[in-house]
Amino acid sequence: ISTLFLAFIVASATAFLISRTLLAHEPDLALAMVLVGSIPCSNMLIGWTGIADASVEDAIVIAVAGLFLLPILSPILVRINGNAIIPIPTLRLAGNLLLYIVIPLVLGYITRKRIVAARGKPYFMELKKVFPGISATGILIIIFFSVAKVARIILHKPVLFLMVAAALFIYYLIQLTIAIIAARILRLPYEQGMILLLGATASSQAISLAIAATMFSSLTVFALSFKPLLQVFFILGVIYGLGPWLKRFW
């Protein structure tokens, strides 16, 4: 519960604060920040937890719960925090979230059942290695065309990139600090405490990017397109930099 609270409520509040201060004069970038704080990480939380040698079983429970809560809470949080920036069509946003979550899950389940029935589970396990690459290619195509649309703006105003990078770094730093304090107050062991840290800092890339690409401006997509690189380095820093220290003191 504490991880989900930090991932949804606290993260959205942190993102809103940054959007109304550092990015107050750039509404498209501010909206991207709101999306970062309102759409937390789900499946990648499991992967990060495994790398951090924390409790994967607990991470799976939290990831599944977060995935079910996302179409309910995220539209409300985006509406509350983003409506002051631009009008947010809440019902359309909720519908898109359901579309991007439920349909891939259903199609994935059907595809798996049919492949296993036709060719067997070993063949499916071998074929499954190709799927992440296909998904990543799709995301890269979206990023390429979205960034290409605003290339002239970025060239004439490169400070936008620095603003996005600074805002994201400050967001991750605030969330990490809050999570460490919360883990200490709750007296969580390392295995659960690290999940709290990862859940509070990581946010979904694919879903937030899909929402931005279909509902908002290309500049918002541009701001989100740099998040994966910064997020990966930051979380790896948490795992390998803070991780050994946290294991000794938690």
Side-chain angles (χ1 to χ4, degrees):
I1 295 175
S2 56
T3 301
L4 292 172
F5 180 78
L6 260 68
F8 280 100
I9 308 303
V10 177
S12 62
T14 301
F16 175 74
L17 179 65
I18 293 172
S19 72
R20 303 307 291 162
T21 52
L22 293 178
L23 304 175
H25 300 296
E26 296 290 342
D28 294 320
L29 304 185
L31 184 59
M33 199 69 237
V34 169
L35 291 174
V36 168
S38 302
I39 305 177
C41 184
S42 54
N43 59 330
M44 272 308 296
L45 177 63
I46 303 169
W48 290 124
T49 301
I51 295 173
D53 197 25
S55 176
V56 175
E57 293 81 6
D58 291 336
I60 291 172
V61 174
I62 293 168
V64 172
L67 200 60
F68 280 105
L69 287 172
L70 203 149
I72 302 169
L73 291 179
S74 292
I76 297 172
L77 294 172
V78 174
R79 173 62 184 262
I80 292 172
N81 296 327
N83 212 46
I85 303 170
I86 66 167
I88 304 294
T90 311
L91 292 178
R92 184 185 167 198
L93 176 59
N96 283 358
L97 283 169
L98 281 171
L99 181 70
Y100 301 144
I101 294 171
V102 175
I103 289 183
L105 284 175
V106 172
L107 291 178
Y109 176 77
I110 294 172
T111 302
R112 181 184 184 279
K113 293 284 286 185
R114 292 199 171 187
I115 292 175
V116 171
R119 304 293 296 271
K121 191 170 183 179
Y123 176 81
F124 171 76
M125 296 303 292
E126 192 65 28
L127 186 64
K128 190 172 74 169
K129 300 174 183 177
V130 180
F131 295 153
I134 296 173
S135 300
T137 301
I139 292 175
L140 288 173
I141 291 172
I142 294 173
I143 291 173
F144 175 80
F145 284 106
S146 300
V147 173
K149 286 184 179 180
V150 295
R152 290 182 181 274
I153 298 174
I154 303 304
L155 286 173
H156 285 92
K157 199 174 180 183
V159 71
L160 292 177
F161 171 75
L162 297 177
M163 291 173 65
V164 172
L168 286 171
F169 182 77
I170 292 170
Y171 167 81
Y172 291 136
L173 201 58
I174 292 173
Q175 284 296 106
L176 177 65
T177 304
I178 293 172
I180 291 174
I181 294 171
R184 291 295 294 165
I185 292 173
L186 296 172
R187 298 183 181 276
L188 296 177
Y190 171 82
E191 290 75 14
Q192 280 77 44
M194 182 54 79
I195 297 175
L196 187 67
L197 266 64
L198 296 173
T201 52
S203 61
S204 172
Q205 175 59 27
I207 297 175
S208 59
L209 195 59
I211 291 295
T214 55
M215 295 186 62
F216 304 119
S217 74
S218 296
L219 203 55
T220 300
V221 180
F222 159 79
L224 291 171
S225 67
F226 291 98
K227 182 170 72 70
L229 185 62
L230 294 173
Q231 181 167 283
V232 166
F233 279 109
F234 189 89
I235 291 179
L236 287 176
V238 170
I239 293 172
Y240 293 111
L242 280 180
W245 180 82
L246 294 174
K247 282 183 178 179
R248 290 198 300 269
F249 291 97
W250 279 6

